[in-house]
Amino acid sequence: MMRPADVFTGFQRLFLDVQHTATLGCVLLIFDAVLNVCVIHTVKYTEIDWIAYMQEVEGFLNGTWDYTKLQGDTGPLVYPAGFVYVYSLLYYVTSYGTNIRLAQYIFVGLYLMTVMEVVYIHHKLAKIPPYVLVFLCCFAYRVHSIFILRLFNDPIAMLLLYFSIVCFVNHHWSVGCIIFSLAVSVKMNILLFAPGLFLLLVEACGWIGTVKNLALCAVTQVILAIPFLYDNPVGYISQSFELGRQFKYEWTVNWRFISEDVFLHRALHGTLLLLHLVTLGLFAWKKWQVKDVLMGQTTGVVSANKIATLMFTSNFIGICFARSLHYQFYVWYFHTLPYLLWLTVLPPVCKFLILIFVELCWNTFPSTVASSLMLQMCHAVLLIALWTCPVDPVDSRRKEV
């Protein structure tokens, strides 16, 4: 007969031993599936962009290939071609976009697939204690809302992004690059991960391999965009990859503490872009050994932790200096936060406080001066902690077998 002490030891290992990350993840996945169903049936769906998405793809399905003429209630279509194909499929599956409940269940499936990918990645990384998965799976109110109560395209892009990282940590670089490009074709925020990925490709594949893999990314984009490039190439490129897009002050989560005039001023945008590039350069030079990588003076063996460190940090730097963060953008980095925090030497209590405060900030609607300031402070603390790590976190884990 099993003694109470043995049961306690078993639970302790399940929640504390990184070898049991996948086991606890599977248990939480079942709980999360039930939780999602309960949310669908108890929390009212909120219409924001779904109807506009359906209107945009309806124009494509009716024969309009000129991107400048694809519009919805919220304005013109501003996402790349992959978005059009994904939501065209959803358009037909959900009875021309009218079956919202079915769409919600589809997004439950997408959510659970994302969680499976995230659990697998963290299992490979063996960095965060398994109990942190409880926060990732069960206490992320805003993330559940983004998936199943809003039906945004951001979760689909992140699903593909994490799938590409699954490929990368298993050293399937070419397949991973194709999937990464597919993610970009749904929403181009995925490009925030690109600086880290570029350095990883050079180190793992050499310059020739890097050129080949980048060509795969480019060809994927071209193939997806063929009908739109055929009809109006300038219109497609300028609209689907518009970098100068103006965001609305009313939706900003991270800049509520400044005035609207300052928020909309081009000087702020230019300053943030400069800070973004400078910070990337500093991390690349001091933390990621960019000189050795570009000169081919590394071993060429890229660990799973190095892949996660470069890609997650690259994306997080972009988040820190974003011109605006809207509520759905939380999924851009939510699942990467625990790993980034556990790279640092911050005390455990600080790590948990950052996770809690970030979650609270994203759940404050509308955003306030206090919530925006707190969010930026949490970002700043984490960024500084990543910079000041005394030991390069890339090689701080056990040797991979």
Side-chain angles (χ1 to χ4, degrees), residues 196 199-200 203 278-293 298 305-311 313-314 317 339-340 343-345 382-396:
L199 292 180
L200 292 167
E203 183 170 1
V278 169
T279 306
L280 274 176
L282 289 173
F283 267 82
W285 187 260
K286 292 292 186 178
K287 307 293 288 185
W288 302 339
Q289 297 87 41
V290 64
K291 182 179 179 181
D292 293 339
V293 171
T298 57
N305 272 62
K306 186 165 189 176
I307 293 168
T309 298
L310 267 65
M311 293 191 69
T313 306
S314 175
I317 291 170
Y339 178 79
L340 293 174
L343 285 178
T344 73
V345 293
L382 178 51
L383 187 63
I384 293 170
L386 289 168
W387 174 255
T388 57
C389 286
V391 179
D392 186 354
V394 166
D395 299 314
S396 63

mmCIF file of all heavy atoms in Angstrom, residues 196 199-200 203 278-293 298 305-311 313-314 317 339-340 343-345 382-396:
data_model
loop_
_atom_site.group_PDB
_atom_site.id
_atom_site.type_symbol
_atom_site.label_atom_id
_atom_site.label_comp_id
_atom_site.label_asym_id
_atom_site.label_seq_id
_atom_site.Cartn_x
_atom_site.Cartn_y
_atom_site.Cartn_z
ATOM 1 N N GLY A 196 16.960 36.883 -34.191
ATOM 2 C CA GLY A 196 17.516 35.724 -33.499
ATOM 3 C C GLY A 196 17.600 34.522 -34.407
ATOM 4 O O GLY A 196 18.600 33.780 -34.393
ATOM 5 N N LEU A 199 20.693 34.628 -36.841
ATOM 6 C CA LEU A 199 21.963 34.231 -36.233
ATOM 7 C C LEU A 199 22.019 32.726 -36.006
ATOM 8 O O LEU A 199 23.068 32.097 -36.193
ATOM 9 C CB LEU A 199 22.162 34.970 -34.914
ATOM 10 C CG LEU A 199 22.385 36.484 -35.005
ATOM 11 C CD1 LEU A 199 22.562 37.075 -33.614
ATOM 12 C CD2 LEU A 199 23.594 36.801 -35.874
ATOM 13 N N LEU A 200 20.901 32.143 -35.630
ATOM 14 C CA LEU A 200 20.857 30.695 -35.427
ATOM 15 C C LEU A 200 21.091 29.947 -36.740
ATOM 16 O O LEU A 200 21.805 28.933 -36.773
ATOM 17 C CB LEU A 200 19.505 30.296 -34.834
ATOM 18 C CG LEU A 200 19.240 30.757 -33.395
ATOM 19 C CD1 LEU A 200 17.775 30.572 -33.037
ATOM 20 C CD2 LEU A 200 20.126 29.992 -32.417
ATOM 21 N N GLU A 203 24.785 30.068 -37.671
ATOM 22 C CA GLU A 203 25.600 29.181 -36.838
ATOM 23 C C GLU A 203 25.337 27.712 -37.132
ATOM 24 O O GLU A 203 26.267 26.903 -37.178
ATOM 25 C CB GLU A 203 25.329 29.460 -35.356
ATOM 26 C CG GLU A 203 26.195 28.610 -34.438
ATOM 27 C CD GLU A 203 26.125 29.044 -32.992
ATOM 28 O OE1 GLU A 203 25.383 30.006 -32.686
ATOM 29 O OE2 GLU A 203 26.820 28.434 -32.158
ATOM 30 N N VAL A 278 19.201 49.452 -31.649
ATOM 31 C CA VAL A 278 20.403 49.554 -30.810
ATOM 32 C C VAL A 278 20.428 48.432 -29.769
ATOM 33 O O VAL A 278 21.471 47.796 -29.541
ATOM 34 C CB VAL A 278 20.460 50.932 -30.123
ATOM 35 C CG1 VAL A 278 21.545 50.952 -29.034
ATOM 36 C CG2 VAL A 278 20.731 52.027 -31.150
ATOM 37 N N THR A 279 19.283 48.179 -29.156
ATOM 38 C CA THR A 279 19.221 47.119 -28.141
ATOM 39 C C THR A 279 19.476 45.748 -28.759
ATOM 40 O O THR A 279 20.203 44.925 -28.184
ATOM 41 C CB THR A 279 17.855 47.137 -27.436
ATOM 42 O OG1 THR A 279 17.602 48.441 -26.917
ATOM 43 C CG2 THR A 279 17.826 46.138 -26.294
ATOM 44 N N LEU A 280 18.896 45.501 -29.921
ATOM 45 C CA LEU A 280 19.189 44.249 -30.628
ATOM 46 C C LEU A 280 20.678 44.125 -30.912
ATOM 47 O O LEU A 280 21.283 43.052 -30.717
ATOM 48 C CB LEU A 280 18.406 44.185 -31.944
ATOM 49 C CG LEU A 280 16.985 43.642 -31.919
ATOM 50 C CD1 LEU A 280 16.362 43.764 -33.311
ATOM 51 C CD2 LEU A 280 16.953 42.185 -31.464
ATOM 52 N N GLY A 281 21.282 45.219 -31.378
ATOM 53 C CA GLY A 281 22.702 45.202 -31.684
ATOM 54 C C GLY A 281 23.555 44.922 -30.459
ATOM 55 O O GLY A 281 24.524 44.151 -30.517
ATOM 56 N N LEU A 282 23.199 45.536 -29.329
ATOM 57 C CA LEU A 282 23.953 45.323 -28.097
ATOM 58 C C LEU A 282 23.851 43.875 -27.625
ATOM 59 O O LEU A 282 24.850 43.268 -27.219
ATOM 60 C CB LEU A 282 23.452 46.278 -27.011
ATOM 61 C CG LEU A 282 23.804 47.756 -27.201
ATOM 62 C CD1 LEU A 282 23.094 48.609 -26.159
ATOM 63 C CD2 LEU A 282 25.311 47.967 -27.124
ATOM 64 N N PHE A 283 22.637 43.328 -27.661
ATOM 65 C CA PHE A 283 22.462 41.933 -27.252
ATOM 66 C C PHE A 283 23.224 41.002 -28.198
ATOM 67 O O PHE A 283 23.858 40.034 -27.766
ATOM 68 C CB PHE A 283 20.981 41.564 -27.217
ATOM 69 C CG PHE A 283 20.335 41.748 -25.879
ATOM 70 C CD1 PHE A 283 19.901 42.999 -25.474
ATOM 71 C CD2 PHE A 283 20.177 40.685 -25.015
ATOM 72 C CE1 PHE A 283 19.314 43.193 -24.227
ATOM 73 C CE2 PHE A 283 19.587 40.850 -23.768
ATOM 74 C CZ PHE A 283 19.156 42.121 -23.369
ATOM 75 N N ALA A 284 23.132 41.292 -29.496
ATOM 76 C CA ALA A 284 23.826 40.445 -30.465
ATOM 77 C C ALA A 284 25.337 40.478 -30.241
ATOM 78 O O ALA A 284 26.019 39.442 -30.315
ATOM 79 C CB ALA A 284 23.493 40.888 -31.893
ATOM 80 N N TRP A 285 25.864 41.655 -29.943
ATOM 81 C CA TRP A 285 27.316 41.812 -29.799
ATOM 82 C C TRP A 285 27.829 41.249 -28.478
ATOM 83 O O TRP A 285 28.841 40.533 -28.442
ATOM 84 C CB TRP A 285 27.692 43.280 -29.920
ATOM 85 C CG TRP A 285 29.173 43.526 -29.952
ATOM 86 C CD1 TRP A 285 29.976 43.925 -28.927
ATOM 87 C CD2 TRP A 285 30.031 43.357 -31.087
ATOM 88 N NE1 TRP A 285 31.275 44.024 -29.338
ATOM 89 C CE2 TRP A 285 31.339 43.682 -30.673
ATOM 90 C CE3 TRP A 285 29.809 42.974 -32.420
ATOM 91 C CZ2 TRP A 285 32.434 43.637 -31.531
ATOM 92 C CZ3 TRP A 285 30.897 42.936 -33.276
ATOM 93 C CH2 TRP A 285 32.186 43.260 -32.833
ATOM 94 N N LYS A 286 27.110 41.543 -27.399
ATOM 95 C CA LYS A 286 27.605 41.181 -26.072
ATOM 96 C C LYS A 286 27.096 39.833 -25.558
ATOM 97 O O LYS A 286 27.801 39.143 -24.821
ATOM 98 C CB LYS A 286 27.226 42.273 -25.064
ATOM 99 C CG LYS A 286 27.948 43.596 -25.285
ATOM 100 C CD LYS A 286 29.436 43.467 -24.983
ATOM 101 C CE LYS A 286 30.117 44.825 -25.069
ATOM 102 N NZ LYS A 286 31.570 44.743 -24.740
ATOM 103 N N LYS A 287 25.872 39.478 -25.932
ATOM 104 C CA LYS A 287 25.261 38.280 -25.344
ATOM 105 C C LYS A 287 25.185 37.108 -26.311
ATOM 106 O O LYS A 287 25.163 35.955 -25.886
ATOM 107 C CB LYS A 287 23.847 38.605 -24.847
ATOM 108 C CG LYS A 287 23.753 39.794 -23.908
ATOM 109 C CD LYS A 287 24.430 39.516 -22.578
ATOM 110 C CE LYS A 287 23.644 38.533 -21.742
ATOM 111 N NZ LYS A 287 24.249 38.361 -20.401
ATOM 112 N N TRP A 288 25.102 37.392 -27.599
ATOM 113 C CA TRP A 288 24.872 36.321 -28.565
ATOM 114 C C TRP A 288 26.095 36.000 -29.423
ATOM 115 O O TRP A 288 25.988 35.225 -30.376
ATOM 116 C CB TRP A 288 23.696 36.678 -29.486
ATOM 117 C CG TRP A 288 22.417 36.943 -28.744
ATOM 118 C CD1 TRP A 288 22.097 36.540 -27.484
ATOM 119 C CD2 TRP A 288 21.280 37.665 -29.230
ATOM 120 N NE1 TRP A 288 20.839 36.968 -27.143
ATOM 121 C CE2 TRP A 288 20.307 37.666 -28.195
ATOM 122 C CE3 TRP A 288 20.986 38.301 -30.430
ATOM 123 C CZ2 TRP A 288 19.064 38.284 -28.336
ATOM 124 C CZ3 TRP A 288 19.763 38.917 -30.567
ATOM 125 C CH2 TRP A 288 18.807 38.910 -29.534
ATOM 126 N N GLN A 289 27.247 36.609 -29.117
ATOM 127 C CA GLN A 289 28.506 36.354 -29.827
ATOM 128 C C GLN A 289 28.358 36.487 -31.350
ATOM 129 O O GLN A 289 28.799 35.628 -32.118
ATOM 130 C CB GLN A 289 29.052 34.950 -29.491
ATOM 131 C CG GLN A 289 29.404 34.733 -28.040
ATOM 132 C CD GLN A 289 28.222 34.261 -27.212
ATOM 133 O OE1 GLN A 289 27.439 33.445 -27.646
ATOM 134 N NE2 GLN A 289 28.089 34.804 -26.020
ATOM 135 N N VAL A 290 27.730 37.574 -31.781
ATOM 136 C CA VAL A 290 27.443 37.735 -33.202
ATOM 137 C C VAL A 290 28.715 37.715 -34.046
ATOM 138 O O VAL A 290 28.733 37.182 -35.162
ATOM 139 C CB VAL A 290 26.634 39.034 -33.447
ATOM 140 C CG1 VAL A 290 27.442 40.263 -33.063
ATOM 141 C CG2 VAL A 290 26.195 39.132 -34.901
ATOM 142 N N LYS A 291 29.799 38.293 -33.526
ATOM 143 C CA LYS A 291 31.049 38.323 -34.290
ATOM 144 C C LYS A 291 31.557 36.916 -34.575
ATOM 145 O O LYS A 291 31.936 36.585 -35.708
ATOM 146 C CB LYS A 291 32.109 39.127 -33.537
ATOM 147 C CG LYS A 291 33.427 39.254 -34.284
ATOM 148 C CD LYS A 291 34.432 40.080 -33.489
ATOM 149 C CE LYS A 291 35.770 40.167 -34.242
ATOM 150 N NZ LYS A 291 36.762 40.956 -33.460
ATOM 151 N N ASP A 292 31.559 36.064 -33.550
ATOM 152 C CA ASP A 292 32.018 34.685 -33.729
ATOM 153 C C ASP A 292 31.099 33.919 -34.674
ATOM 154 O O ASP A 292 31.562 33.125 -35.501
ATOM 155 C CB ASP A 292 32.073 33.968 -32.378
ATOM 156 C CG ASP A 292 33.147 34.535 -31.461
ATOM 157 O OD1 ASP A 292 34.082 35.169 -31.980
ATOM 158 O OD2 ASP A 292 33.035 34.354 -30.235
ATOM 159 N N VAL A 293 29.797 34.173 -34.544
ATOM 160 C CA VAL A 293 28.828 33.473 -35.402
ATOM 161 C C VAL A 293 29.036 33.856 -36.859
ATOM 162 O O VAL A 293 29.128 32.996 -37.746
ATOM 163 C CB VAL A 293 27.388 33.798 -34.959
ATOM 164 C CG1 VAL A 293 26.385 33.243 -35.976
ATOM 165 C CG2 VAL A 293 27.109 33.208 -33.583
ATOM 166 N N THR A 298 32.242 29.419 -34.323
ATOM 167 C CA THR A 298 31.503 28.682 -33.299
ATOM 168 C C THR A 298 31.496 27.203 -33.647
ATOM 169 O O THR A 298 31.925 26.796 -34.731
ATOM 170 C CB THR A 298 30.057 29.187 -33.204
ATOM 171 O OG1 THR A 298 29.431 29.073 -34.497
ATOM 172 C CG2 THR A 298 30.021 30.648 -32.774
ATOM 173 N N ASN A 305 18.176 25.329 -25.940
ATOM 174 C CA ASN A 305 18.135 26.529 -25.117
ATOM 175 C C ASN A 305 18.648 27.755 -25.853
ATOM 176 O O ASN A 305 18.147 28.866 -25.662
ATOM 177 C CB ASN A 305 18.946 26.311 -23.833
ATOM 178 C CG ASN A 305 18.099 25.699 -22.747
ATOM 179 O OD1 ASN A 305 17.599 24.596 -22.905
ATOM 180 N ND2 ASN A 305 17.918 26.411 -21.655
ATOM 181 N N LYS A 306 19.661 27.570 -26.682
ATOM 182 C CA LYS A 306 20.161 28.707 -27.440
ATOM 183 C C LYS A 306 19.116 29.180 -28.444
ATOM 184 O O LYS A 306 18.927 30.389 -28.648
ATOM 185 C CB LYS A 306 21.446 28.349 -28.166
ATOM 186 C CG LYS A 306 22.093 29.548 -28.865
ATOM 187 C CD LYS A 306 23.518 29.279 -29.268
ATOM 188 C CE LYS A 306 24.194 30.557 -29.754
ATOM 189 N NZ LYS A 306 25.618 30.363 -30.074
ATOM 190 N N ILE A 307 18.416 28.247 -29.064
ATOM 191 C CA ILE A 307 17.350 28.603 -30.004
ATOM 192 C C ILE A 307 16.279 29.430 -29.301
ATOM 193 O O ILE A 307 15.865 30.491 -29.772
ATOM 194 C CB ILE A 307 16.744 27.328 -30.627
ATOM 195 C CG1 ILE A 307 17.767 26.636 -31.521
ATOM 196 C CG2 ILE A 307 15.469 27.660 -31.414
ATOM 197 C CD1 ILE A 307 17.370 25.235 -31.949
ATOM 198 N N ALA A 308 15.830 28.939 -28.144
ATOM 199 C CA ALA A 308 14.789 29.658 -27.408
ATOM 200 C C ALA A 308 15.286 31.004 -26.909
ATOM 201 O O ALA A 308 14.573 32.015 -26.995
ATOM 202 C CB ALA A 308 14.305 28.807 -26.235
ATOM 203 N N THR A 309 16.515 31.042 -26.409
ATOM 204 C CA THR A 309 17.045 32.287 -25.859
ATOM 205 C C THR A 309 17.113 33.379 -26.920
ATOM 206 O O THR A 309 16.653 34.504 -26.707
ATOM 207 C CB THR A 309 18.452 32.059 -25.261
ATOM 208 O OG1 THR A 309 18.354 31.124 -24.191
ATOM 209 C CG2 THR A 309 19.038 33.354 -24.749
ATOM 210 N N LEU A 310 17.682 33.068 -28.068
ATOM 211 C CA LEU A 310 17.829 34.085 -29.110
ATOM 212 C C LEU A 310 16.485 34.511 -29.684
ATOM 213 O O LEU A 310 16.217 35.711 -29.854
ATOM 214 C CB LEU A 310 18.751 33.582 -30.227
ATOM 215 C CG LEU A 310 20.231 33.975 -30.061
ATOM 216 C CD1 LEU A 310 20.828 33.318 -28.831
ATOM 217 C CD2 LEU A 310 21.024 33.612 -31.301
ATOM 218 N N MET A 311 15.613 33.554 -29.970
ATOM 219 C CA MET A 311 14.345 33.902 -30.604
ATOM 220 C C MET A 311 13.401 34.599 -29.629
ATOM 221 O O MET A 311 12.757 35.598 -29.967
ATOM 222 C CB MET A 311 13.696 32.654 -31.209
ATOM 223 C CG MET A 311 14.482 32.080 -32.374
ATOM 224 S SD MET A 311 13.592 30.803 -33.301
ATOM 225 C CE MET A 311 12.295 31.756 -34.083
ATOM 226 N N THR A 313 14.202 36.245 -26.833
ATOM 227 C CA THR A 313 14.729 37.549 -26.445
ATOM 228 C C THR A 313 14.585 38.551 -27.583
ATOM 229 O O THR A 313 14.243 39.720 -27.366
ATOM 230 C CB THR A 313 16.208 37.443 -26.039
ATOM 231 O OG1 THR A 313 16.358 36.450 -25.024
ATOM 232 C CG2 THR A 313 16.729 38.772 -25.513
ATOM 233 N N SER A 314 14.850 38.119 -28.802
ATOM 234 C CA SER A 314 14.690 38.985 -29.966
ATOM 235 C C SER A 314 13.263 39.517 -30.046
ATOM 236 O O SER A 314 13.037 40.718 -30.260
ATOM 237 C CB SER A 314 15.039 38.204 -31.238
ATOM 238 O OG SER A 314 14.795 38.972 -32.392
ATOM 239 N N ILE A 317 12.506 42.030 -27.090
ATOM 240 C CA ILE A 317 13.062 43.368 -27.328
ATOM 241 C C ILE A 317 12.115 44.172 -28.214
ATOM 242 O O ILE A 317 11.878 45.361 -27.984
ATOM 243 C CB ILE A 317 14.462 43.264 -27.955
ATOM 244 C CG1 ILE A 317 15.458 42.697 -26.939
ATOM 245 C CG2 ILE A 317 14.950 44.629 -28.443
ATOM 246 C CD1 ILE A 317 16.811 42.339 -27.528
ATOM 247 N N TYR A 339 10.138 31.390 -19.459
ATOM 248 C CA TYR A 339 11.499 30.994 -19.845
ATOM 249 C C TYR A 339 12.457 32.175 -19.719
ATOM 250 O O TYR A 339 13.562 32.036 -19.168
ATOM 251 C CB TYR A 339 11.510 30.464 -21.278
ATOM 252 C CG TYR A 339 12.903 30.090 -21.744
ATOM 253 C CD1 TYR A 339 13.475 28.888 -21.350
ATOM 254 C CD2 TYR A 339 13.636 30.954 -22.551
ATOM 255 C CE1 TYR A 339 14.764 28.546 -21.755
ATOM 256 C CE2 TYR A 339 14.920 30.622 -22.952
ATOM 257 C CZ TYR A 339 15.473 29.410 -22.561
ATOM 258 O OH TYR A 339 16.748 29.083 -22.953
ATOM 259 N N LEU A 340 12.047 33.343 -20.197
ATOM 260 C CA LEU A 340 12.909 34.516 -20.109
ATOM 261 C C LEU A 340 13.185 34.881 -18.651
ATOM 262 O O LEU A 340 14.313 35.234 -18.285
ATOM 263 C CB LEU A 340 12.259 35.699 -20.835
ATOM 264 C CG LEU A 340 12.137 35.560 -22.360
ATOM 265 C CD1 LEU A 340 11.352 36.732 -22.942
ATOM 266 C CD2 LEU A 340 13.505 35.465 -23.023
ATOM 267 N N LEU A 343 15.710 32.585 -17.081
ATOM 268 C CA LEU A 343 17.082 32.786 -17.539
ATOM 269 C C LEU A 343 17.838 33.729 -16.608
ATOM 270 O O LEU A 343 19.062 33.692 -16.538
ATOM 271 C CB LEU A 343 17.095 33.397 -18.947
ATOM 272 C CG LEU A 343 16.749 32.500 -20.132
ATOM 273 C CD1 LEU A 343 16.773 33.318 -21.417
ATOM 274 C CD2 LEU A 343 17.705 31.326 -20.241
ATOM 275 N N THR A 344 17.094 34.582 -15.928
ATOM 276 C CA THR A 344 17.709 35.624 -15.116
ATOM 277 C C THR A 344 18.035 35.114 -13.722
ATOM 278 O O THR A 344 17.644 34.001 -13.331
ATOM 279 C CB THR A 344 16.758 36.834 -14.993
ATOM 280 O OG1 THR A 344 15.672 36.491 -14.125
ATOM 281 C CG2 THR A 344 16.219 37.237 -16.354
ATOM 282 N N VAL A 345 18.718 35.965 -12.954
ATOM 283 C CA VAL A 345 19.035 35.633 -11.558
ATOM 284 C C VAL A 345 18.125 36.405 -10.603
ATOM 285 O O VAL A 345 18.441 36.565 -9.428
ATOM 286 C CB VAL A 345 20.516 35.948 -11.243
ATOM 287 C CG1 VAL A 345 21.419 35.017 -12.014
ATOM 288 C CG2 VAL A 345 20.837 37.413 -11.543
ATOM 289 N N LEU A 382 12.718 43.103 -16.646
ATOM 290 C CA LEU A 382 13.096 41.848 -17.291
ATOM 291 C C LEU A 382 14.189 42.066 -18.326
ATOM 292 O O LEU A 382 15.146 41.273 -18.414
ATOM 293 C CB LEU A 382 11.867 41.210 -17.949
ATOM 294 C CG LEU A 382 12.113 39.901 -18.714
ATOM 295 C CD1 LEU A 382 12.875 38.889 -17.873
ATOM 296 C CD2 LEU A 382 10.797 39.312 -19.209
ATOM 297 N N LEU A 383 14.093 43.125 -19.102
ATOM 298 C CA LEU A 383 15.113 43.389 -20.118
ATOM 299 C C LEU A 383 16.478 43.630 -19.468
ATOM 300 O O LEU A 383 17.503 43.098 -19.925
ATOM 301 C CB LEU A 383 14.713 44.596 -20.964
ATOM 302 C CG LEU A 383 15.593 44.897 -22.179
ATOM 303 C CD1 LEU A 383 15.553 43.750 -23.182
ATOM 304 C CD2 LEU A 383 15.156 46.200 -22.844
ATOM 305 N N ILE A 384 16.497 44.417 -18.414
ATOM 306 C CA ILE A 384 17.756 44.679 -17.709
ATOM 307 C C ILE A 384 18.297 43.393 -17.084
ATOM 308 O O ILE A 384 19.509 43.130 -17.103
ATOM 309 C CB ILE A 384 17.551 45.767 -16.639
ATOM 310 C CG1 ILE A 384 17.235 47.110 -17.315
ATOM 311 C CG2 ILE A 384 18.791 45.904 -15.748
ATOM 312 C CD1 ILE A 384 16.784 48.189 -16.358
ATOM 313 N N ALA A 385 17.399 42.584 -16.528
ATOM 314 C CA ALA A 385 17.825 41.321 -15.916
ATOM 315 C C ALA A 385 18.427 40.383 -16.961
ATOM 316 O O ALA A 385 19.415 39.680 -16.690
ATOM 317 C CB ALA A 385 16.642 40.656 -15.221
ATOM 318 N N LEU A 386 17.860 40.362 -18.160
ATOM 319 C CA LEU A 386 18.418 39.540 -19.235
ATOM 320 C C LEU A 386 19.801 40.049 -19.644
ATOM 321 O O LEU A 386 20.715 39.271 -19.933
ATOM 322 C CB LEU A 386 17.477 39.542 -20.442
ATOM 323 C CG LEU A 386 16.164 38.768 -20.290
ATOM 324 C CD1 LEU A 386 15.211 39.095 -21.430
ATOM 325 C CD2 LEU A 386 16.427 37.263 -20.241
ATOM 326 N N TRP A 387 19.945 41.367 -19.661
ATOM 327 C CA TRP A 387 21.220 41.963 -20.054
ATOM 328 C C TRP A 387 22.311 41.707 -19.026
ATOM 329 O O TRP A 387 23.476 41.509 -19.372
ATOM 330 C CB TRP A 387 21.032 43.460 -20.271
ATOM 331 C CG TRP A 387 22.317 44.190 -20.539
ATOM 332 C CD1 TRP A 387 23.002 45.005 -19.686
ATOM 333 C CD2 TRP A 387 23.072 44.153 -21.752
ATOM 334 N NE1 TRP A 387 24.135 45.485 -20.282
ATOM 335 C CE2 TRP A 387 24.206 44.980 -21.557
ATOM 336 C CE3 TRP A 387 22.905 43.522 -22.983
ATOM 337 C CZ2 TRP A 387 25.159 45.178 -22.543
ATOM 338 C CZ3 TRP A 387 23.855 43.718 -23.975
ATOM 339 C CH2 TRP A 387 24.968 44.531 -23.751
ATOM 340 N N THR A 388 21.933 41.719 -17.757
ATOM 341 C CA THR A 388 22.927 41.633 -16.678
ATOM 342 C C THR A 388 23.163 40.207 -16.180
ATOM 343 O O THR A 388 23.826 40.030 -15.159
ATOM 344 C CB THR A 388 22.499 42.513 -15.493
ATOM 345 O OG1 THR A 388 21.191 42.117 -15.041
ATOM 346 C CG2 THR A 388 22.480 43.980 -15.883
ATOM 347 N N CYS A 389 22.633 39.216 -16.864
ATOM 348 C CA CYS A 389 22.913 37.834 -16.461
ATOM 349 C C CYS A 389 24.427 37.630 -16.397
ATOM 350 O O CYS A 389 25.121 37.819 -17.404
ATOM 351 C CB CYS A 389 22.314 36.849 -17.463
ATOM 352 S SG CYS A 389 20.531 36.691 -17.346
ATOM 353 N N PRO A 390 24.973 37.222 -15.248
ATOM 354 C CA PRO A 390 26.430 37.095 -15.126
ATOM 355 C C PRO A 390 27.008 35.966 -15.961
ATOM 356 O O PRO A 390 28.169 36.002 -16.331
ATOM 357 C CB PRO A 390 26.634 36.831 -13.633
ATOM 358 C CG PRO A 390 25.339 36.239 -13.173
ATOM 359 C CD PRO A 390 24.287 36.921 -13.989
ATOM 360 N N VAL A 391 26.187 34.948 -16.239
ATOM 361 C CA VAL A 391 26.632 33.816 -17.039
ATOM 362 C C VAL A 391 25.759 33.739 -18.274
ATOM 363 O O VAL A 391 24.548 33.933 -18.195
ATOM 364 C CB VAL A 391 26.528 32.491 -16.250
ATOM 365 C CG1 VAL A 391 26.977 31.309 -17.103
ATOM 366 C CG2 VAL A 391 27.357 32.580 -14.979
ATOM 367 N N ASP A 392 26.396 33.494 -19.407
ATOM 368 C CA ASP A 392 25.633 33.378 -20.652
ATOM 369 C C ASP A 392 24.594 32.290 -20.480
ATOM 370 O O ASP A 392 24.937 31.116 -20.307
ATOM 371 C CB ASP A 392 26.574 33.015 -21.802
ATOM 372 C CG ASP A 392 25.846 33.034 -23.145
ATOM 373 O OD1 ASP A 392 24.622 33.213 -23.177
ATOM 374 O OD2 ASP A 392 26.533 32.864 -24.154
ATOM 375 N N PRO A 393 23.284 32.617 -20.513
ATOM 376 C CA PRO A 393 22.242 31.635 -20.274
ATOM 377 C C PRO A 393 22.148 30.569 -21.344
ATOM 378 O O PRO A 393 21.554 29.533 -21.124
ATOM 379 C CB PRO A 393 20.956 32.473 -20.224
ATOM 380 C CG PRO A 393 21.265 33.666 -21.058
ATOM 381 C CD PRO A 393 22.719 33.943 -20.836
ATOM 382 N N VAL A 394 22.744 30.815 -22.507
ATOM 383 C CA VAL A 394 22.638 29.854 -23.600
ATOM 384 C C VAL A 394 23.189 28.501 -23.203
ATOM 385 O O VAL A 394 22.659 27.448 -23.558
ATOM 386 C CB VAL A 394 23.380 30.395 -24.842
ATOM 387 C CG1 VAL A 394 23.574 29.300 -25.865
ATOM 388 C CG2 VAL A 394 22.588 31.540 -25.448
ATOM 389 N N ASP A 395 24.277 28.472 -22.431
ATOM 390 C CA ASP A 395 24.920 27.208 -22.111
ATOM 391 C C ASP A 395 24.844 26.878 -20.625
ATOM 392 O O ASP A 395 25.655 26.125 -20.101
ATOM 393 C CB ASP A 395 26.392 27.257 -22.534
ATOM 394 C CG ASP A 395 26.541 27.476 -24.032
ATOM 395 O OD1 ASP A 395 25.833 26.792 -24.777
ATOM 396 O OD2 ASP A 395 27.341 28.328 -24.437
ATOM 397 N N SER A 396 23.828 27.442 -19.936
ATOM 398 C CA SER A 396 23.770 27.270 -18.498
ATOM 399 C C SER A 396 23.036 26.015 -18.078
ATOM 400 O O SER A 396 22.962 25.702 -16.903
ATOM 401 C CB SER A 396 23.089 28.491 -17.863
ATOM 402 O OG SER A 396 21.766 28.596 -18.307
#
